[in-house]
Amino acid sequence: MSRAIYPGSFDPVTYGHLDIIKRSAEMFDEVIVGVLNNSAKNPLFSAQERQEMLREAVREFDNVKVISFEGLLVDYMAKNDISVIIRGLRAITDFDYELQIAQSNRKVSGDSIDTVFLTTSIEYAYLSSSIVKEYARYGTDVTDFVPGFVEEKLRKHFS
Ligand code: ADP
């Protein structure tokens, strides 16, 4: 069975993330969406809240599971027998950082991990969780960027 993990902060999940999840779910038998629980990143939503929003958002996919992990991704992967990482690439500005992480993950895993990059669908190329949070903070409508229940959660948070 082919399994892959799609790790990220997902603070909060956007249509850009969901596009990557949908496309990966067609490529792999099982996709695990891994919410990084890292307090140093100072997220807007707790790992629990980010997981709940993701679970609601991926409800339609039978082969997608949402988990949260702390510490190193490679350690979680080794313990759970996963050898493929999925990442999304929006623009050349993502590339340097992603290449470095992919190569170091491969190195520390003794060459047992590969990273698969999916290029963003053009309609989501500009979209990031940070942009969504910035708009929501100032009351701008974000319904084109995130599912309705995420928009509601943002609205409550900033009201
Ligand atoms: P991180 O903090 O690890 O960058 P994010 O939640 O910001 O976590 O992103 C998780 C993954 O989703 C990354 O691979 C990122 O490049 C990708 N991603 C984010 N937004 C988009 C988008 N609009 N289109 C495609 N991929 C995206």
Side-chain angles (χ1 to χ4, degrees):
M1 184 168 93
S2 63
R3 295 166 89 204
I5 186 161
Y6 177 37
S9 306
F10 306 104
D11 185 38
V13 59
T14 70
Y15 284 137
H17 296 130
L18 290 173
D19 175 57
I20 299 288
I21 292 171
K22 179 175 185 290
R23 288 155 60 198
S24 343
E26 286 162 9
M27 294 167 63
F28 295 93
D29 294 324
E30 187 177 32
V31 173
I32 293 145
V33 181
V35 177
L36 177 62
N37 187 358
N38 177 357
S39 48
K41 272 203 157 190
N42 199 15
L44 183 67
F45 294 109
S46 69
Q48 178 70 31
E49 289 174 303
R50 285 178 276 146
Q51 268 190 94
E52 281 166 13
M53 286 186 269
L54 269 162
R55 289 215 173 99
E56 180 71 32
V58 303
R59 211 192 260 258
E60 68 189 280
F61 305 112
D62 291 338
N63 60 338
V64 176
K65 196 169 114 183
V66 180
I67 57 98
S68 107
F69 69 98
E70 276 177 68
L72 283 184
L73 175 63
V74 288
D75 292 339
Y76 179 85
M77 292 176 71
K79 274 192 204 113
N80 292 278
D81 198 23
I82 308 167
S83 58
V84 177
I85 301 171
I86 297 159
R87 294 288 286 176
L89 281 181
R90 280 162 294 195
I92 193 75
T93 42
D94 281 340
F95 186 77
D96 265 356
Y97 172 73
E98 292 293 344
L99 183 68
Q100 191 185 3
I101 299 287
Q103 287 172 336
S104 52
N105 279 336
R106 185 151 178 87
K107 177 74 183 168
V108 296
S109 68
D111 287 349
S112 69
I113 284 178
D114 261 310
T115 303
V116 170
F117 292 105
L118 296 184
T119 52
T120 180
S121 294
I122 207 77
E123 64 266 43
Y124 303 124
Y126 59 85
L127 188 51
S128 70
S129 299
S130 314
I131 285 179
V132 168
K133 282 182 281 191
E134 198 61 8
Y135 281 146
R137 185 186 307 275
Y138 295 104
T140 302
D141 182 21
V142 293
T143 46
D144 282 348
F145 309 144
V146 296
F149 54 87
V150 174
E151 196 258 324
E152 213 170 287
K153 200 125 181 138
L154 282 161
R155 199 152 18 91
K156 272 200 196 126
H157 188 91
F158 288 118
S159 68

